[in-house]
């Protein structure tokens, strides 16, 4: 699988039936911070309409609780630990400047990406926004299956253009924050970046709407820095501080998502376009005042608040509107879903995700995943059915039944020793299939161990 050029043949008539695919992807959003997730505070009319017109997953998961590893799983359809992408977020400037010997930190060139798969089916492919999957030119989006790129290589940046005399420009980390059109063509934008990314996506759609396209629209909203337009802030007079800022940033995210969906409708493309919305990990409640209620935990730990995310899919030509799907699914499933929907016939046995369409149309009534896994060094989790086991490096494991304890408040490990033993055994068997981590970042860089912070053990309900 690794490094193999995918050779797919398809007729012109078959290509004309290929659905367009738009993946709307937010960053660090809270599980509860959307109207379709129950929020009464956030204003997300466009994404709420997407939920009403498509399928909402009540148990959607990512493969890691931090940005980079989660994205690596999505981009390859494989557990990122299988190719050594296990550690925390990758700063591209470090790889570029050889701060860590021999490290080109990002998705290895041996891996086939979502862009590669869709391009092999004849799709025009584009990536807009936050990349965060490798900072060197060899790991650039335009070298990983995407025809066009407009965005930045690192994990965060300002939503406003950097002025010439901005002191941040003098930092080595500014390498990760530069906006690029293509590779190496740096040009600051005009306006608020969330809106600009949607404009770039719409320009790509307009270039050749008669040809199938795949867009990965990777917003940096609502990741820090906390920056919003005055107009958006004014829509939330009842809020203050970071909570007001994240509400305004979410409003902009929704507006930008709506702009792309409105473009599809205006061009008559809506019926046969797959639109997906999801998020990279749980909200970091202390940093951007996001809410993961009723889940315990946050970004960077394996409690539900760190790994369960909002998740929507709409495909009017195939899927019934206004439905919910209650079995556990993963963002690993997006790649095989897109590939098979686009006409791919190849069996993707090397992938860990599944094609979701048969499950959503009722052709397959089984659980999409018998087991789901999370791992970062010695911290780990496994889910089987409604049962979830958490492994820690410094204290006994915990066991929860998510069917009646979504907030993970009642540890049943002492009452279920045989189940704990079996789940440990199953996890060890999976763990033996993994590669060693390709890099281990030094501890002066941002590392979390929020599992141990008691305040994250209890769901915190903000103005919702």
């Amino acid at each position: 699988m690794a490094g193999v050029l995918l050779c797919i043949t398809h007729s012109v008539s078959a290509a004309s039936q290929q659905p367009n695919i738009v993946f709307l992807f937010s960053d660090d959003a809270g599980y509860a911070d959307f109207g379709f997730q129950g929020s009464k505070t956030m204003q997300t009319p466009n994404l709420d309409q997407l939920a009403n017109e498509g399928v909402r997953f009540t148990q959607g998961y990512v493969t890691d609780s931090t940005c980079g590893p989660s994205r690596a799983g999505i981009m390859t359809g494989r557990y990122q630990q299988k190719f050594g992408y296990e550690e925390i977020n990758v700063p591209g400037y470090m790889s570029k400047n050889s701060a860590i010997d021999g490290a080109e930190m990002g998705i290895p060139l041996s891996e086939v990406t979502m862009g590669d798969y869709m391009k092999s089916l004849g799709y025009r492919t584009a990536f807009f926004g936050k990349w965060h999957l490798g900072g060197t030119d060899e790991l650039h989006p335009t070298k990983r299956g995407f025809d066009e790129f407009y965005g930045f290589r690192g994990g965060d940046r300002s939503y406003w253009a950097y002025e010439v005399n901005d002191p941040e420009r003098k930092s080595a980390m500014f390498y990760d924050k530069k906006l690029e059109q293509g590779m190496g063509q740096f040009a600051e934008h005009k306006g608020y970046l969330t809106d600009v990314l949607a404009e770039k996506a719409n320009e790509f759609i307009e270039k050749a709407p008669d040809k199938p396209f795949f867009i990965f629209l990777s917003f940096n909203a609502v990741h820090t820095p906390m920056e919003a337009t005055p107009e958006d802030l004014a829509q939330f007079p009842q809020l203050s501080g970071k909570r007001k800022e994240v509400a305004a940033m979410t409003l902009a995210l929704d507006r930008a998502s709506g702009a792309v969906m409105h473009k599809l409708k205006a061009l008559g493309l809506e019926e046969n376009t797959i639109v997906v919305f999801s998020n990279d990990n749980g909200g970091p409640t202390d940093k951007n005042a996001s809410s993961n209620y009723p889940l315990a935990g946050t970004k960077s730990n394996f409690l539900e608040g760190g790994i369960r995310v909002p998740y929507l899919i709409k495909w009017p030509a195939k899927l019934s509107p206004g439905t919910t799907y209650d079995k556990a699914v993963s963002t690993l499933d997006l790649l095989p879903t897109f590939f098979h929907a686009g006409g791919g016939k190849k069996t993707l046995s090397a992938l860990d995700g599944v094609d979701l369409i048969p499950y959503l149309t009722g052709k397959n009534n089984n659980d999409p995943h018998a087991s789901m896994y999370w791992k970062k060094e010695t911290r780990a989790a496994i889910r089987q059915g409604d049962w979830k086991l958490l492994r820690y490096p410094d204290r006994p494991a915990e066991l929860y039944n998510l069917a009646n304890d979504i907030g993970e408040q009642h540890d049943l490990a002492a009452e279920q020793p045989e189940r704990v033993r079996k789940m440990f055994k199953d996890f060890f068997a999976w763990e033996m299939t993994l590669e060693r981590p390709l890099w281990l970042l030094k501890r002066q860089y941002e590392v979390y161990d929020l599992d141990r912070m008691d305040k994250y053990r209890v769901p915190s309900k903000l103005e919702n």
Side-chain angles (χ1 to χ4, degrees), residues 222-397:
V222 292
H223 196 290
T224 55
M226 304 303 291
E227 297 173 348
T229 70
E231 295 80 6
D232 290 338
L233 287 167
Q235 301 303 308
F236 302 92
Q238 78 279 23
L239 302 179
S240 61
K242 289 183 180 180
R243 188 62 178 164
K244 182 170 186 171
E245 291 171 325
V246 77
M249 294 166 73
T250 303
L251 177 61
L253 168 69
D254 181 82
R255 177 175 63 246
S257 299
V260 177
M261 291 187 283
H262 296 328
K263 176 62 67 176
L264 295 171
K265 187 172 185 178
L267 295 176
L269 302 174
E270 184 179 25
E271 179 70 14
N272 197 31
T273 296
I274 298 172
V275 179
V276 169
F277 172 77
S278 194
N279 185 60
D280 61 350
N281 46 248
T285 59
D286 58 333
K287 292 193 172 185
N288 68 359
S290 50
S291 172
N292 297 320
Y293 188 84
L295 310 177
T298 71
K299 174 181 180 176
S300 305
N301 61 47
F302 293 150
L303 295 168
E304 290 292 286
I307 57 176
R308 190 185 291 207
V309 295
Y311 200 144
L312 305 173
I313 183 170
K314 172 188 172 183
W315 189 7
K318 297 285 186 179
L319 301 178
S320 300
T323 59
T324 58
Y325 187 81
D326 294 324
K327 295 179 179 179
V329 300
S330 171
T331 48
L332 290 172
D333 302 327
L334 292 176
L335 195 161
T337 300
F338 295 162
F339 180 75
H340 289 301
K345 303 301 183 184
K346 186 180 179 68
T347 300
L348 304 179
S349 57
L351 302 192
D352 296 303
V354 301
D355 178 5
L356 290 173
I357 301 304
Y359 295 90
L360 301 180
T361 57
K363 292 183 179 179
N364 191 332
N365 293 316
N366 297 321
D367 289 345
H369 300 277
S371 299
M372 305 175 80
Y373 309 93
W374 297 267
K375 179 182 181 294
K376 192 182 294 292
E377 296 180 325
T378 52
R379 292 189 298 143
I382 176 174
R383 174 171 175 167
Q384 295 180 328
D386 292 326
W387 293 94
K388 180 181 172 187
L389 181 76
L390 288 157
R391 183 182 77 180
Y392 299 101
D394 57 354
R395 61 195 187 279

